[in-house]
Structure formats: structure tokens, C-alpha cells
Amino acid sequence: MKKIGTLVFFCLMLFMLPSLSHASAGLHLYLNGVSLSPSAEAQMIKSTTMIPIRVVVEELGFQVDWNKKTRTVTIHNDKKTIELVVSQKWATVNGKKVNLDVAPIIKSDTTLVPLRFVGETMGLVVDWENETKSVYLFTSDFGSEVTQPKPPVTQPDPDQGGSTGTGDSKVELSEIQTMSFEDNRLIIGVSKGDLKPTQQRLTGPDRIVVDIPNSKFSDAFSKTQNFASSGQAEFIVQDHPVVEKIRYSQYSDNPATVRVVIDMKQSQNFSVYTTKDPNTVVVDLNGSSPDPGKDDGTGTLPPHSGKYIVVIDAGHGAKDPGAISLNKRNEKDFNLAQALKVAEVFKNDPDVEIILTRTDDTFLELKERVAFAKQHHADLFVSIHANSINKSSISGTETYYSRDDSKAFAQVMHNNLVKGTRLPDRGVRKQSLHVTRETNMPASLLEVGYLTNQTDESALYQEDFQYRVAQSIKDGIKQYLGLKS
């Protein structure tokens, strides 16, 4: 499933780049957290950052041609053609003329072009680290944010609290200070407002899950709680007709997220909102307010009893082969083989039931895959794919999500997946993909490796590799659900 080279959205922060002196010492250049070693370094010239065009665009899946006679660089893929002429302060993008801040130059047989131009035409997020004089470039597929790997930043001592590195900036954390259940409401006291908690309702058993982003437990609160070795604490709600107990933990450190789970005796409508003066997050079980976690699927299948339901989706199938590998093997075959092995490693699992969207070479529309997950009242959705790009040197594992409430799930899955693939870590990215966007449960899409890379392709079709990846997918699912592997 080809992603790179189809960059149509950019979030450019070039105003953050400092105005340095005229031609200066070389700058360090990174793409998606990986250091680039071009034949000529990035430089500051007349307060403009200049970078080697070839090494960057080739990593993004573009082709670069050089006409020595006209001193013209042509950069192209199947959607875009860019032409630059050395010493000329203009370029063309798909035939349209664009002015440049500084004309391209040649240094050490490498063409250097303005970073602003590269960012605007290639759709890159740009970050600057002043201490090390480093430029960090990140691909930005349909508004993606690369959450891992990330540029090195100075992290605060976790015991000091107050902020967390996000790769681009430091975010002040809110501290969970109090937690109580009264008047049919869970009231969570926090140190600062402007929080945007996410919520969902899960079944089998019934429970409400609330994630509070950019937050951690205060030291004072932590000292009063009996946190288990797993990092989870809980309290029983005595003699309540609907609520059994409330569990909470520091679900994630990056991004810092506190998760609260209300274990229910039966299904119950609820709403989640925040207040100021005092700052609180409230989970309200009163009245008949719309349930933001309610499944809006139209399926009529009976509920499954006592297990989490996880839908595993083998991408493509039948008339849709997906990507084609170096040795002319179809992506659809890898996807199915990998999905079947995930189901196999979950066989007889006491806590999780795996349901496959396809068990043979069948074609399903994307909307059919989404409807399938909703009809089965799935708690989680995982789509399995293999990647491709027209540059054989690119290798590695990526994970995608579409909705913010799936970000933590994607991160957990990715952390486990890269342990299983043992391929380069290409990060977690946000992208508008139908199956992860239209589902209403936490959903992620796994790009296990690149079929267009010799090393990746060789591994992807080996059974021992597939079993190892299947186990890593199982580990990620069970970790996210708070279950023992």
C-alpha cells in the first residue's frame, strides 16, 4: 500500500528557523528521525536554509534528473513534476512558475535548494533544534504527525513533572489530583483546564473507557493510592446498581495519557465533559444524555459473551492484489497469511476472540470491512498490509491511525510490532484511511514491511517471521486491553 510520495498536505513551521549569518558551517539534516549523509551539507546562505535536493526527494520516492547542458534539475513522480535551474530564482511545479527566495546553487557536485521551497512542494513538517544546529524534516501524509521516531529533545526528569517532549514542542502536563464517585458521576480533579478527554464504550463485559491526554497523576495523589506492580489502581463502588468498580493507570508516557475504566454491571448511557473553577473531568451516568460511545452500527448479530472482540482485516483480496513485490508476489497473499497466523496464536485465548474479515482470497469493499467490524460489535480493529515505493532502499515498519481516539492504540501496536518485525522503525502516522476513519472502535493499520525492499520482501513471506509478527500483534492487543500475554 503506497503512502510515501503522495504528499498533499503540509504543516510548515519555517518561521521557527533562526536568521543565522551568511554562508555558515554545515547544518545537520534528518528525515523522519534518520540522519542523512549527503555529499554536501545543509547550509545557511543569506539567512535562507539550503538543503541538498537529491538526497531528500529520493527518500520521498521522487526521481531526480540532471541536465548538465541547461543546468536544470527535474524532480518527478506520477503526480508532480518540478523543475529548477541553477542560479535562477524561479522554479516550475507542474508547469506553474514559482518564485524562490534564493536561487539553487551547486556545491560539491550537489544542487542545494531553499528549504522553504522543498517544504511547500513536498509537504514536509520542518523543525529546528538550535543547540545542535539541526534541521528535522518529517513527511506529512494527509496531515500526518510522526510520533515515533522523533528528533532528540531534552526531556524533563519524570519526577519533576510539568511538561513532556512532543518532538516539536513541550506540552505542560495536567496532574490528576483527586478522584471520587458521587451522585452517579465520576469526578476527576485536575490541575489545569483545556483538556480534551476521549471516551468509548466497550462490551463483553460492559465498561466505559476515558483517556485524558497530556496528563499524569500528581505525587500527592499517587502516595494515597495502592498502585499494583502493573501500574493500575482501582476502587470498588459499593452497592451501586450499575457500576462495579473504577480502574485507572498511567496508560502511556508518550504521549502522556491517564486512562480511567469504569467496569459496569450493565450497559448505561453516559456523557463526558470538563468544567473550570474547579478544573474537573466528569463522567456523568445520569439522565438520558446521548451516549458518545454508543455503537451506531446496524448489525443484528448477537453479542459475544465474556470476551473482547478483535477484528483482524487482511487487506486487499481476489481482484485487488495490492502491492506487487520485487519477485512479483501479491500483497494480498501476505496479508491473508499474516491474518490467519494472528487468529492461530489467539486460538483458545480466554479473553480475546479474533474474527477475520476474510479467510480466503475474497474481495471486500472498504465499506464492507467497516460494516463487518460494527456488526460484530468489535472492541478493536486491526488491518494488515505490506508497503511499497519506487525506491528499493527504503525498508521498515509503519503504523497508521485516523481518529485521535485511536492514537494510543496505534502506538501500543507499533511498539510491539517493530519488536516482531525487527525491521527499521518508520514510526506511527496519522492518515485519513477509510477503514481506520469510518470504524467506531480503536483502529490501526499495520504496514509490516516494504515489498519493494529485498530484505523486507524476503522476510515477509517466511513462516517464522509471520509467526513472530503474529505474536507481536497479539502482545500489542493484550497490552492495550490490559490483559496478561
Side-chain angles (χ1 to χ4, degrees):
M1 180 170 169
K2 187 173 179 180
K3 302 286 195 318
I4 299 176
T6 316
L7 308 173
V8 299
F9 178 82
F10 65 90
C11 174
L12 199 60
M13 295 182 290
L14 293 175
F15 61 87
M16 297 175 63
L17 294 176
S19 296
L20 299 181
S21 59
H22 302 302
S24 64
L27 308 175
H28 301 289
L29 185 63
Y30 297 84
L31 179 63
N32 288 341
V34 178
S35 177
L36 300 178
S37 301
S39 56
E41 298 175 314
Q43 296 189 19
M44 294 295 296
I45 299 177
K46 296 181 179 179
S47 299
T48 297
T49 306
M50 305 287 286
I51 64 172
I53 189 64
R54 179 181 292 274
V55 70
V56 176
V57 299
E58 287 186 347
E59 288 293 332
L60 296 175
F62 286 73
Q63 299 293 321
V64 182
D65 299 322
W66 166 249
N67 187 320
K68 185 176 181 180
K69 183 177 180 179
T70 62
R71 291 161 60 88
T72 300
V73 178
T74 302
I75 306 157
H76 58 94
N77 64 7
D78 56 350
K79 294 183 181 296
K80 185 174 293 185
T81 299
I82 303 161
E83 289 189 347
L84 305 102
V85 182
V86 172
S87 301
Q88 297 294 326
K89 293 182 66 174
W90 55 267
T92 62
V93 180
N94 289 341
K96 184 178 179 180
K97 192 171 182 179
V98 178
N99 292 324
L100 304 176
D101 295 331
V102 176
I105 64 171
I106 295 179
K107 188 177 180 66
S108 301
D109 295 323
T110 296
T111 304
L112 301 178
V113 299
L115 174 58
R116 179 182 298 277
F117 175 78
V118 175
E120 290 176 347
T121 55
M122 303 298 174
L124 299 176
V125 176
V126 181
D127 196 14
W128 167 258
E129 189 174 82
N130 190 49
E131 290 183 4
T132 60
K133 299 296 186 291
S134 299
V135 177
Y136 292 92
L137 306 174
F138 296 92
T139 56
S140 185
D141 302 340
F142 289 90
S144 75
E145 53 177 311
V146 179
T147 59
Q148 184 185 353
K150 53 187 179 297
V153 295
T154 303
Q155 298 280 5
D157 187 321
D159 294 332
Q160 302 301 315
S163 65
T164 180
T166 64
D168 292 330
S169 60
K170 292 182 178 180
V171 176
E172 183 180 355
L173 297 184
S174 180
E175 294 188 339
I176 307 300
Q177 299 172 323
T178 62
M179 192 176 302
S180 63
F181 189 83
E182 52 189 83
D183 297 328
N184 221 28
R185 296 180 179 89
L186 175 63
I187 302 172
I188 305 168
V190 294
S191 62
K192 62 187 291 288
D194 301 323
L195 294 175
K196 295 180 179 180
T198 61
Q199 69 276 334
Q200 57 184 307
R201 185 179 69 185
L202 303 178
T203 59
D206 291 305
R207 58 211 182 279
I208 296 169
V209 179
V210 178
D211 286 339
I212 306 174
N214 299 325
S215 64
K216 69 169 195 170
F217 297 108
S218 71
D219 290 340
F221 180 83
S222 297
K223 290 177 181 178
T224 65
Q225 306 301 304
N226 185 23
F227 283 96
S229 58
S230 63
Q232 180 174 278
E234 64 180 46
F235 64 86
I236 305 298
V237 180
Q238 298 289 347
D239 302 322
H240 194 278
V242 176
V243 177
E244 180 177 314
K245 63 181 177 181
I246 296 170
R247 299 177 282 129
Y248 40 96
S249 66
Q250 187 72 48
Y251 176 69
S252 171
D253 291 323
N254 186 17
T257 304
V258 168
R259 167 163 289 187
V260 180
V261 179
I262 306 177
D263 290 323
M264 311 291 289
K265 298 176 182 177
Q266 63 186 53
S267 179
Q268 173 73 22
N269 285 350
F270 70 99
S271 62
V272 177
Y273 56 89
T274 60
T275 68
K276 293 185 177 181
D277 300 322
N279 294 318
T280 64
V281 175
V282 180
V283 185
D284 193 340
L285 304 179
N286 290 298
S288 57
S289 57
D291 180 0
K294 186 176 181 180
D295 182 356
D296 61 3
T298 58
T300 58
L301 294 179
H304 298 262
S305 175
K307 289 188 177 184
Y308 292 96
I309 306 302
V310 179
V311 167
I312 301 294
D313 172 46
H316 307 286
K319 65 181 182 181
D320 176 14
I324 307 300
S325 79
L326 289 175
N327 292 303
K328 307 305 179 184
R329 290 186 281 196
N330 294 327
E331 179 195 351
K332 67 176 183 177
D333 299 327
F334 163 76
N335 297 342
L336 179 59
Q338 187 64 74
L340 290 171
K341 288 181 175 60
V342 173
E344 184 178 343
V345 299
F346 268 103
K347 188 177 181 180
N348 300 322
D349 189 275
D351 302 306
V352 177
E353 179 178 352
I354 297 297
I355 302 178
L356 302 176
T357 56
R358 67 182 182 97
T359 58
D360 55 19
D361 191 20
T362 302
F363 175 74
L364 292 171
E365 298 282 358
L366 297 178
K367 62 182 181 181
E368 293 179 295
R369 300 169 193 265
V370 171
F372 182 92
K374 290 181 177 180
Q375 289 166 1
H376 284 83
H377 304 289
D379 297 303
L380 300 173
F381 178 91
V382 179
S383 189
I384 295 175
H385 288 260
N387 220 330
S388 70
I389 190 174
N390 57 352
K391 184 172 176 62
S392 61
S393 63
I394 293 180
S395 161
T397 299
E398 300 167 9
T399 300
Y400 288 80
Y401 69 100
S402 298
R403 307 183 319 270
D404 288 343
D405 61 1
S406 295
K407 182 176 182 179
F409 176 50
Q411 188 69 63
V412 170
M413 292 301 297
H414 184 75
N415 291 345
N416 285 276
L417 182 62
V418 294
K419 294 177 183 177
T421 66
R422 302 173 188 172
L423 298 175
D425 181 348
R426 293 184 59 84
V428 176
R429 302 164 185 247
K430 183 179 182 182
Q431 183 166 317
S432 183
L433 304 170
H434 188 92
V435 294
T436 51
R437 184 186 68 241
E438 300 302 322
T439 41
N440 57 2
M441 68 289 299
S444 65
L445 185 147
L446 312 180
E447 293 283 3
V448 179
Y450 276 81
L451 292 174
T452 45
N453 176 271
Q454 188 69 54
T455 300
D456 288 18
E457 185 210 21
S458 177
L460 286 168
Y461 290 93
Q462 294 179 16
E463 285 216 343
D464 59 344
F465 175 90
Q466 292 176 2
Y467 276 115
R468 195 170 70 235
V469 168
Q471 183 61 49
S472 72
I473 292 173
K474 178 179 180 179
D475 292 343
I477 289 169
K478 301 205 76 169
Q479 179 184 341
Y480 181 81
L481 295 173
L483 304 171
K484 292 183 178 179
S485 298

